[in-house]
């Protein structure tokens, strides 16, 4: 009997300096709220598992290779606490069971271990980027399928993490207003709309957008998502649906919810 494989992605979110400044209780409330937001974003995107646990940690497991990175990127762009930024250990691959059956409190799987390991590696870095992939067990369940990406897991991991490091360098150099313009453009998709929201002229927004390298930051995000979707599509050849369409629905869901809560984001 053939075993069905399901594509998933995982992130483990941790918070920098979470024990400093007596922030524990406030961060706990914030992380609980973030779990609620992620649940809203993904309600029409297939089964997901998301839980706040271990004080300052969120674990997320969702269908699709790109899902975890998409959500992690949006969360990182609108995170409230500048002195307590999140970082995400990421992994993706295939499981031989339905995600609905998984209890993430007790689930032991190589993909969980990979995400945990990536998170631990980030924890040790001084100039810590927000994202890191670990693909040591990047594999297909059916070894008879000729397209075995596990043959190139080191190369994929190196390329992904190099791009993410470059992305981090660009983001780190953004001023607060450049960062805000970039993030609002991610939601509103128009510089004019960003200007109207912030009460600034179109040339001013354009200047912040260009000087903050926002186009390059967002391009790296979208291209990584495209690569992850392409890997999934080629792996499953349509069996698991169209990952590009699924990812776009997720983008639309997140943007719609963030637009409805835009004033909360501007408090930053």
């Amino acid at each position: 009997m053939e075993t069905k494989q399901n594509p998933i992605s995982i992130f483990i979110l941790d918070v920098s300096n979470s024990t400093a400044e007596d922030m524990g209780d406030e961060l706990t409330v914030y992380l609980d709220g973030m779990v609620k937001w992620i649940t809203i974003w993904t309600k029409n995107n297939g089964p997901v598992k998301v839980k706040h646990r271990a004080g300052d940690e969120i674990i997320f497991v969702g269908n699709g290779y790109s899902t975890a990175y998409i959500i992690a990127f949006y969360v990182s762009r609108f995170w409230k606490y500048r002195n307590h930024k999140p970082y995400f250990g990421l992994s993706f691959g295939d499981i031989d069971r339905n995600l609905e059956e998984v209890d993430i409190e007790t689930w032991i799987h190589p993909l969980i271990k990979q995400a945990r390991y990536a998170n631990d590696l980030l924890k040790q870095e001084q100039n810590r980027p927000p994202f890191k992939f670990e693909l040591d067990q990047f594999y297909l369940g059916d070894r008879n399928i000729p397209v075995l990406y596990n043959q190139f897991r080191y190369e994929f991991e190196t390329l992904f993490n190099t791009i993410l490091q470059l992305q981090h360098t660009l983001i780190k150099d953004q001023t607060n207003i450049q960062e805000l313009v970039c993030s609002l453009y991610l939601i509103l998709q128009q510089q004019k709309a960003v200007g109207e929201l912030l009460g600034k002229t179109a040339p001013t927004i354009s200047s912040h957008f260009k000087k903050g390298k926002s186009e390059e930051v967002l391009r790296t995000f979208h291209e990584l998502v495209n690569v992850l979707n392409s890997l999934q599509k080629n792996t499953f050849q349509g069996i698991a649906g169209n990952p590009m369409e699924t990812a776009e629905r997720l983008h639309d869901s997140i943007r719609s919810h963030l637009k409805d809560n835009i004033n909360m984001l501007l408090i930053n």
Side-chain angles (χ1 to χ4, degrees):
M1 182 177 178
E2 184 179 347
T3 302
K4 182 180 179 182
Q5 297 292 313
N6 293 307
I8 67 164
S9 55
I10 298 168
F11 72 64
I12 294 177
L13 177 161
D14 213 335
V15 181
S16 301
N17 305 317
S18 59
T19 59
E21 303 176 19
D22 298 322
M23 288 293 295
D25 291 342
E26 188 170 347
L27 283 171
T28 294
V29 173
Y30 187 67
L31 289 168
D32 285 340
M34 191 58 65
V35 166
K36 291 177 183 177
W37 276 29
I38 293 171
T39 302
I40 292 170
W41 297 347
T42 57
K43 65 181 179 181
N44 296 319
N45 219 62
V48 302
K49 300 286 183 174
V50 56
K51 190 173 183 63
H52 170 206
R53 66 179 191 180
D56 60 352
E57 177 183 294
I58 291 177
I59 182 170
F60 171 89
V61 185
N63 282 331
Y65 285 176
S66 69
T67 304
Y69 175 58
I70 291 172
I71 293 171
F73 187 80
Y74 278 96
V75 169
S76 73
R77 292 306 302 182
F78 293 102
W79 188 261
K80 179 178 179 181
Y81 301 100
R82 293 185 179 276
N83 295 326
H84 309 277
K85 291 190 174 182
Y87 53 97
F88 302 81
L90 292 144
S91 67
F92 65 91
D94 316 302
I95 59 174
D96 59 1
R97 59 194 298 189
N98 292 322
L99 191 52
E100 296 97 322
E101 303 169 2
V102 170
D103 180 357
I104 57 174
E105 288 287 357
T106 58
W107 193 37
I108 298 174
H109 192 276
L111 293 175
I112 292 284
K113 292 182 178 179
Q114 285 170 218
R116 173 75 60 195
Y117 182 52
N119 187 274
D120 289 341
L121 290 175
L122 284 172
K123 196 171 296 188
Q124 298 168 26
E125 294 197 28
Q126 281 190 322
N127 181 24
R128 180 184 295 152
F131 313 110
K132 191 175 188 68
F133 278 95
E134 271 296 318
L135 306 180
D136 187 60
Q137 298 295 326
F138 183 29
Y139 61 90
L140 290 176
D142 188 349
R143 296 292 175 173
N144 294 316
I145 299 177
V147 186
L148 292 175
Y149 291 116
N150 67 315
Q151 298 173 14
F152 312 107
R153 60 184 181 270
Y154 176 76
E155 288 83 356
F156 277 112
E157 181 182 306
T158 300
L159 284 172
F160 285 171
N161 289 330
T162 299
I163 291 170
L164 289 170
Q165 184 64 59
L166 291 172
Q167 182 191 79
H168 172 56
T169 299
L170 295 175
I171 292 172
K172 191 176 60 171
D173 288 341
Q174 290 179 330
T175 64
N176 288 349
I177 184 62
Q178 290 168 356
E179 184 179 343
L180 181 60
V181 166
C182 181
S183 298
L184 291 175
Y185 184 83
L186 177 63
I187 297 177
L188 301 175
Q189 300 290 285
Q190 292 181 343
Q191 292 188 32
K192 180 181 177 181
V194 174
E196 289 174 353
L197 181 64
L198 297 179
K200 297 184 181 295
T201 65
T204 298
I205 293 300
S206 179
S207 176
H208 288 316
F209 192 82
K210 290 178 181 177
K211 289 181 179 178
K213 300 292 189 294
S214 295
E215 183 177 351
E216 291 80 0
V217 168
L218 298 180
R219 185 188 301 135
T220 58
F221 166 56
H222 290 298
E223 289 302 330
L224 272 176
V225 169
N226 288 339
V227 169
L228 291 166
N229 289 335
S230 180
L231 288 175
Q232 180 183 331
K233 182 179 180 181
N234 288 322
T235 300
F236 290 90
Q237 300 178 354
I239 297 173
N242 187 327
M244 288 74 167
E245 292 179 359
T246 302
E248 197 53 45
R249 283 199 305 271
L250 180 58
H251 283 296
D252 290 343
S253 176
I254 296 172
R255 287 173 181 147
S256 176
H257 181 253
L258 291 176
K259 284 179 186 177
D260 291 341
N261 294 273
I262 202 79
N263 289 331
M264 292 179 61
L265 305 179
L266 293 177
I267 293 173
N268 263 349

